[in-house]
Amino acid sequence: MRKSPPPIHLATIPALLPAERFTLANGLKVVAMGGVDAPVIRAELIWDAGRPFETGKLVSDLTDDLLLEGTDRLTAADLEAYFEQYGTQLDQADVMDTSNLGISTTHRWVGEVLPMMGEIVASSSFTEESFNRLIRQRQQRLRENLSDNDTLAFRLITEATYGTDHPYGYNSYPDLYETLQLDQIRAYYRSHYHAGNATLFLAGQLNDDILKIVEQSFGGLPTGERAVAVDLPTIPKRPRLLQVSRPRAEQSMIRTGRAGIDIRHPDHAALVVLDTIYGGYFGSRLMRNIREEKGLTYGIESEVDTYRFDGDFGVSADVANESLGAVRQEIALEGERLRQDLIEPSELEMVRAYLSGTVANSLDGVFGHAYRHRAAIIKDYEPHGYLQQLSQTILEITPEKIRKVAQRYLDPAGEWEVVLGGGGVIGEAGLIEDPTARLGL
């Protein structure tokens, strides 16, 4: 019988493979990574047309949805049937900073699906009928979503963290859809969904024949000027704790968050390590203390989320109403311990092993490397240097550095907190109206 735990082995994190960069005839930038053994290909157009670039709230989101509602010669149903016959479909990533349209297919069908993808981009119809139908669908779906406590808690913490006028902070409401005009959407499509404002991401088994089809499919798309992001508003000052009381709710949702997380900042890699220790994996402090030892919640986690122009870091937990006070207290206690005490070497080695294994596993194969380049396109950072810094930080970070980063990013004075549910009213909280009250839900 083993009397001591097995030794911890750190996985080797490989260097990021280089991607090929070139342009098509119309100036469309391409980031490509070949070398895949199977005859498959992933093609994705990535426009600088997400929320930081939009000309009005929800304009980017609605343009994305209407892009696939038909072309000058084909209906939405026609398009869906066309791609289904080749065993694939177009997909749109749910990201803040860019608008994305992609497809995965095999060499056998690439000559059929890529030209059709290019046609959709060049001649999307944006009809009044599709626009009105989409507005109605969005309003109905929103009413359904707002009755869900978890969805509402997420919306409230984004508003608290960034402010309701910030691209990363505002949320949709039924009456906001009433302000949208189809002319806005059409104008945004013309000014942002063109080759001059896009990058084409390619990954798979690439050869001259495939690249010729890529040129034929996308090299003739119209071009224009690169979009410039709007001036982001200053994040407003607000009460640190906001609460929505829902007396009939059986649980309470706790969400905390802080803005100012930049993936290009020298602290970011160290923050990834701190997040893992705090609440980022199953062996984290929040999980061990609040879930495993005290049994106060089934799930609790912390998370670092980064965008192109900002990012946030916070905790999420769903707890029984009677445990609300105790869980909030323990979350604060774990943050204080990380700010004051040095992490033990054994705990740090476990986290090193977890992170090195996670990162190495994400780079297992060409597509893993390719998607690192894709993330760098979306968030606009240099991927080779970032991965090198992350790898070095995982292997070399000290307890002293972790404590220093915790003192900066776990300072409760810079943190917003939202509590929603049936727990008792917290004395220091700023009570806010239930957002669903205006909807009659």
Side-chain angles (χ1 to χ4, degrees):
M1 173 180 273
R2 182 184 292 274
K3 296 184 178 180
S4 60
I8 295 175
H9 297 285
L10 301 183
T12 300
I13 301 175
L16 185 64
L17 294 174
E20 185 180 359
R21 296 172 183 271
F22 55 93
T23 59
L24 301 186
N26 56 358
L28 175 62
K29 297 179 180 179
V30 181
V31 174
M33 179 165 287
V36 175
D37 292 335
V40 296
I41 185 171
R42 169 71 181 176
E44 185 173 4
L45 282 164
I46 304 173
W47 293 279
D48 282 351
R51 281 195 172 196
F53 300 92
E54 64 187 358
T55 53
K57 291 180 179 180
L58 298 178
V59 169
S60 171
D61 198 21
L62 267 292
T63 308
D64 267 359
D65 280 358
L66 284 171
L67 191 66
L68 301 184
E69 286 296 310
T71 68
D72 293 341
R73 70 182 186 91
L74 296 170
T75 66
D78 292 334
L79 294 175
E80 184 176 0
Y82 181 87
F83 289 106
E84 279 185 353
Q85 69 181 318
Y86 300 115
T88 189
Q89 62 181 0
L90 291 169
D91 57 77
Q92 295 173 295
D94 184 17
V95 293
M96 284 283 195
D97 293 301
T98 58
S99 294
N100 300 40
L101 182 66
I103 196 165
S104 299
T105 190
T106 65
H107 279 201
R108 181 180 181 184
W109 305 122
V110 69
E112 281 71 30
V113 299
L114 290 194
M116 181 58 74
M117 178 177 166
E119 179 179 340
I120 291 170
V121 174
S123 62
S124 188
S125 56
F126 291 91
T127 66
E128 192 81 38
E129 179 184 2
S130 297
F131 175 73
N132 292 333
R133 182 176 63 252
L134 180 62
I135 293 293
R136 292 193 300 270
Q137 292 172 345
R138 283 299 196 89
Q139 289 174 321
Q140 179 57 38
R141 186 169 62 191
L142 183 58
R143 291 176 182 275
E144 296 168 358
N145 290 343
L146 287 177
S147 63
D148 175 66
N149 283 349
D150 188 60
T151 299
L152 187 55
F154 172 79
R155 290 164 60 92
L156 290 172
I157 192 60
T158 59
E159 290 179 358
T161 303
Y162 293 105
T164 56
D165 290 326
H166 197 286
Y168 301 149
Y170 82 79
N171 288 297
S172 59
Y173 288 97
D175 53 356
L176 181 56
Y177 285 108
E178 300 292 344
T179 67
L180 290 166
Q181 301 294 323
L182 180 55
D183 286 345
Q184 288 178 278
I185 308 300
R186 288 170 173 164
Y188 194 72
Y189 162 67
R190 290 191 298 269
S191 62
H192 287 72
Y193 287 67
H194 56 74
N197 194 42
T199 299
L200 176 63
F201 167 73
L202 296 175
Q205 189 182 96
L206 304 178
N207 55 42
D208 289 343
D209 290 337
I210 296 297
L211 294 179
K212 182 178 180 180
I213 295 171
V214 168
E215 177 70 53
Q216 292 170 347
S217 302
F218 305 114
L221 293 177
T223 189
E225 296 295 323
R226 199 84 187 181
V228 178
V230 299
D231 292 332
L232 300 182
T234 302
I235 296 174
K237 300 294 183 182
R238 295 196 175 186
R240 193 182 74 83
L241 172 61
L242 303 173
Q243 185 174 14
V244 176
S245 179
R246 283 187 157 182
R248 292 181 291 179
E250 297 180 357
Q251 283 191 315
S252 291
M253 314 291 172
I254 302 170
R255 302 290 185 269
T256 71
R258 71 185 61 236
I261 310 300
D262 187 347
I263 196 170
R264 293 163 290 267
H265 194 281
D267 279 348
H268 190 270
L271 180 58
V272 170
V273 179
L274 173 65
D275 168 57
T276 306
I277 296 166
Y278 186 41
Y281 80 125
F282 196 79
S284 69
R285 293 191 174 191
L286 292 177
M287 285 289 284
R288 288 202 316 268
N289 176 358
I290 298 173
R291 182 186 189 274
E292 298 300 308
E293 296 175 7
K294 296 185 172 62
L296 294 175
T297 179
Y298 181 75
I300 183 169
E301 64 177 359
S302 65
E303 184 177 16
V304 176
D305 202 356
T306 50
Y307 311 118
R308 184 179 293 193
F309 300 105
D310 209 324
D312 48 72
F313 174 43
V315 173
S316 61
D318 302 343
V319 305
N321 291 329
E322 60 270 19
S323 301
L324 176 60
V327 172
R328 293 185 66 243
Q329 182 177 352
E330 293 300 324
I331 292 172
L333 179 61
E334 292 300 340
E336 181 66 16
R337 285 173 176 162
L338 284 166
R339 291 196 305 274
Q340 299 299 329
D341 303 330
L342 295 177
I343 185 174
E344 292 292 332
S346 59
E347 183 182 6
L348 181 52
E349 287 308 303
M350 184 65 72
V351 170
R352 289 193 210 276
Y354 170 79
L355 279 174
S356 63
T358 299
V359 176
N361 186 60
S362 73
L363 294 166
D364 183 18
V366 174
F367 275 106
H369 289 260
Y371 274 83
R372 286 273 172 174
H373 288 280
R374 174 185 179 272
I377 296 169
I378 293 170
K379 298 181 182 182
D380 192 23
Y381 67 91
E382 201 287 304
H384 295 275
Y386 176 76
L387 181 62
Q388 182 180 18
Q389 181 189 36
L390 178 62
S391 303
Q392 184 175 355
T393 299
I394 291 170
L395 297 176
E396 300 178 3
I397 193 169
T398 64
E400 289 78 12
K401 175 64 174 179
I402 291 170
R403 181 170 65 181
K404 183 178 180 180
V405 173
Q407 288 168 351
R408 177 176 182 181
Y409 293 98
L410 292 179
D411 179 2
E415 179 178 81
W416 312 121
E417 181 180 5
V418 167
V419 175
L420 180 146
V425 175
I426 303 167
E428 70 271 26
L431 288 175
I432 58 176
E433 180 186 14
D434 189 330
T436 62
R438 73 196 231 198
L439 306 177
L441 298 176

